[in-house]
Amino acid sequence: MTSQILTQLLQALSLLSVLLLLGVFLRAKVKLFQKLYLPASVIGGFIGLLISPEILGRLSSISISEEYIKTYSLLPGILSVPIFAAVPLGMFLNEKKNIKSLYPTKVLIAFGIFQCASMLQSAIGYATNMLFTKISPEIGMYRTFGYELSAGFAGGHGLAAATGKLLEGFGIPQWEIAQGVALTTATIGLVGGMIFGIIFINIAVRRNKTSVIKKIVNENTENINKIDKNMERGYNSNINTQASLGRETFLSSSIETITFHLAIIFAVCGIAYIVLNFIKKIGIAGLDVLPVWTYSMIIMFALNMLIKKLKLEWMVDSKVKAKIMGTLSDFAIVSAITSLPIKAIIHYIAPIIVMCIAGFIFTYLIVFIFNNMLFKNDYAFERAIISWGTLTGVLITGMTLLKICDPEYKSPALTEFSLGFSLMSVTGLLIVPILNTVLAVGSTWDNFITAIISSALYLAFAFIVYFFQRKVKV
């Protein structure tokens, strides 16, 4: 590696930084972006796409260079490793528990419903693949097409940006196309999920289905206006009320707290690469196809337990870790969208539209029907709307929709859903390697069946917990 390569990388990152700043400015000024809660990274990414060779380059000689685009297409895959590695860090550390106020069974039910819908999204994607393979073979559907729906909807732009790296590791030649498709579904999900969510809330309030807000005033604008304006604009100009980045666990005379957390994350990434290379060298079937970030999560989980065992919890702050993940995600998302392969996406536009429409419909049915069934007269709509927003966008989308119908978060929906959402990180250490193995070597049909069975098992789990809860109450 030469200084010239590093200089070019710095220049490429400089342009991404400008795009992020433009995204921040537009989010603060454009009402539409505020109402849709579009992240600055998504806005900046689409600005980058507009001035890329795929669009502006076709109309003018001035555009982002092809070298930068190549770098941007690879960057999300690289950044995904430390992003996923950081997930277990700080888990179960420094938690203030009040067990009596929590209902573990409700957390597990929310977890089961969410995972059921997420896996069903994957099944819908693979079903779309098989449908278009049969009716339009000239499109040339690749084997893993369909994975992108769940990656984009339930996973959001962060997981969507990591899709290329995952499939590239599996030897899928269309990995760049898949990354573009996943980012497309993520954007459709984020925008559509927010718009449909607001419509669902208006209908629910009119029909008296909400538990916190019981009547609508002027088309619900009174309640909607209660949403924190800072959240809409994306910044807080009041210095006195600005939140802290986290605890300063180390003193700068030794090491910066952020540096310490980054050092742990990057060190674990390095160990994960060593483990994966060793597994590939000795040829352990099944394990050699797993992406490196799977190993990084497992190693970090073990390290996190060691930190807890040694009573060194004071060294780690989950809030600082989350900010590092958010920073890396911002750069991963803006670079991934900027490098979208427009031509390839247009080629697959019909199956993309079909699976997104089906994804919205079935996600709605699963989330609202089963929340109404298993949480009857127990904030069912509030639980459903935060799940809907997260399954089509990101957690902040779900929280924003919940805030419209529960402005002060008086319902238990946010607390219990957040705990269930965190549970996915733990179970993912067991489930994700299995799903990825099927994705790596299985046919489209194999992946479809695996997704259907997984979805059914998660739903069965939710019902088992529900009936156990009722039996205990009796």
Side-chain angles (χ1 to χ4, degrees):
M1 184 178 291
T2 64
S3 61
Q4 183 181 1
I5 294 175
L6 292 175
T7 300
Q8 289 175 346
L9 176 61
L10 179 59
Q11 291 171 343
L13 290 174
S14 299
L15 178 55
L16 290 182
S17 300
V18 172
L19 294 175
L20 283 170
L21 292 174
L22 284 172
V24 170
F25 175 77
L26 291 174
R27 167 65 183 270
K29 297 297 181 182
V30 180
K31 291 293 182 183
L32 177 62
F33 295 159
Q34 293 176 9
K35 296 301 180 184
L36 294 176
Y37 292 89
L38 284 180
S41 56
V42 174
I43 299 169
F46 278 104
I47 295 172
L49 182 61
L50 288 173
I51 60 175
S52 71
E54 289 273 4
I55 296 180
L56 184 61
R58 296 180 182 277
L59 306 173
S60 167
S61 59
I62 303 174
S63 68
I64 299 176
S65 72
E66 290 284 358
E67 287 299 318
Y68 281 13
I69 295 298
K70 289 179 182 177
T71 300
Y72 295 156
S73 67
L74 297 172
L75 193 59
I78 301 298
L79 293 179
S80 67
V81 182
I83 290 171
F84 284 111
V87 172
L89 183 62
M91 195 180 291
F92 312 127
L93 303 182
N94 302 308
E95 289 187 345
K96 295 179 181 178
K97 296 183 179 179
N98 186 5
I99 301 297
K100 292 181 180 179
S101 68
L102 300 178
Y103 295 90
T105 52
K106 293 182 180 181
V107 172
L108 294 176
I109 292 170
F111 162 77
I113 294 173
F114 184 93
Q115 289 292 74
C116 169
S118 176
M119 293 309 305
L120 187 60
Q121 288 176 355
S122 293
I124 290 168
Y126 295 128
T128 304
N129 185 338
M130 293 186 288
L131 173 66
F132 276 86
T133 297
K134 188 169 184 178
I135 65 174
S136 298
E138 68 278 3
I139 293 179
M141 305 294 287
Y142 51 94
R143 178 174 64 82
T144 59
F145 182 94
Y147 168 81
E148 299 90 344
L149 180 62
S150 179
F153 268 37
H157 283 87
L159 184 57
T163 298
K165 181 67 174 179
L166 175 68
L167 298 184
E168 183 186 20
F170 294 158
I172 307 298
Q174 298 90 351
W175 66 268
E176 284 188 273
I177 297 173
Q179 180 168 290
V181 172
L183 285 163
T184 302
T185 62
T187 303
I188 293 172
L190 183 67
V191 176
M194 180 61 73
I195 293 173
F196 288 131
I198 292 173
I199 292 172
F200 297 156
I201 290 168
N202 276 271
I203 294 172
V205 173
R206 287 193 186 95
R207 294 180 178 178
N208 203 29
K209 296 291 185 182
T210 55
S211 301
V212 180
I213 295 176
K214 288 297 182 183
K215 59 183 178 179
I216 191 164
V217 180
N218 294 329
E219 297 297 315
N220 207 33
T221 53
E222 181 180 316
N223 295 315
I224 292 175
N225 285 337
K226 288 182 181 178
I227 297 178
D228 189 353
K229 289 298 179 183
N230 291 338
M231 188 182 291
E232 283 192 357
R233 295 191 302 258
Y235 66 89
N236 181 5
S237 58
N238 187 341
I239 296 176
N240 296 321
T241 59
Q242 288 176 345
S244 168
L245 287 174
R247 289 184 294 109
E248 191 172 353
T249 59
F250 281 85
L251 299 181
S252 55
S253 60
S254 172
I255 189 172
E256 293 291 346
T257 298
I258 292 178
T259 307
F260 176 78
H261 285 72
L262 273 171
I264 291 179
I265 294 168
F266 288 147
V268 166
C269 292
I271 296 171
Y273 276 107
I274 292 171
V275 170
L276 179 58
N277 290 334
F278 176 74
I279 289 173
K280 286 183 176 179
K281 188 175 181 180
I282 62 177
I284 302 178
L287 296 180
D288 57 349
V289 296
L290 295 179
V292 66
W293 53 260
T294 302
Y295 292 101
S296 69
M297 287 184 70
I298 294 172
I299 295 168
M300 184 65 83
F301 188 79
L303 177 61
N304 192 68
M305 291 298 99
L306 181 62
I307 291 172
K308 187 175 179 67
K309 185 74 174 176
L310 297 176
K311 297 182 178 180
L312 297 174
E313 297 98 330
W314 58 268
M315 297 194 307
V316 177
D317 181 50
S318 296
K319 199 171 181 181
V320 171
K321 183 270 308 246
K323 296 302 180 185
I324 291 173
M325 289 176 64
T327 301
L328 296 175
S329 295
D330 282 338
F331 278 95
I333 292 167
V334 70
S335 61
I337 295 177
T338 298
S339 59
L340 277 176
I342 295 293
K343 197 172 181 180
I345 292 173
I346 292 174
H347 179 74
Y348 290 98
I349 194 64
I352 289 173
I353 291 173
V354 169
M355 73 176 179
C356 284
I357 292 174
F360 279 128
I361 293 172
F362 282 95
T363 299
Y364 172 83
L365 294 174
I366 292 292
V367 166
F368 285 90
I369 288 176
F370 290 114
N371 271 288
N372 284 328
M373 190 181 297
L374 302 182
F375 291 108
K376 190 174 182 180
N377 299 322
D378 187 14
Y379 301 98
F381 181 81
E382 286 76 12
R383 297 177 191 276
I385 201 65
I386 187 173
S387 187
W388 162 267
T390 308
L391 279 163
T392 54
V394 289
L395 181 57
I396 190 63
T397 311
M399 290 174 63
T400 301
L401 290 172
L402 176 63
K403 195 173 179 68
I404 295 175
C405 56
D406 183 8
E408 297 176 11
Y409 294 134
K410 290 181 178 179
S411 74
L414 177 60
T415 301
E416 291 173 3
F417 179 81
S418 297
L419 288 170
F421 194 71
S422 300
L423 187 60
M424 286 188 293
S425 299
V426 180
T427 59
L429 296 173
L430 300 173
I431 304 300
V432 171
I434 297 172
L435 297 176
N436 282 345
T437 301
V438 179
L439 183 64
V441 299
S443 64
T444 305
W445 173 256
D446 293 334
N447 281 283
F448 171 74
I449 291 298
T450 302
I452 284 289
I453 293 174
S454 300
S455 180
L457 288 175
Y458 278 120
L459 185 60
F461 172 78
F463 271 94
I464 290 170
V465 175
Y466 171 74
F467 286 118
F468 172 78
Q469 174 187 255
R470 289 188 61 183
K471 188 176 180 180
V472 170
K473 282 184 178 180
V474 173

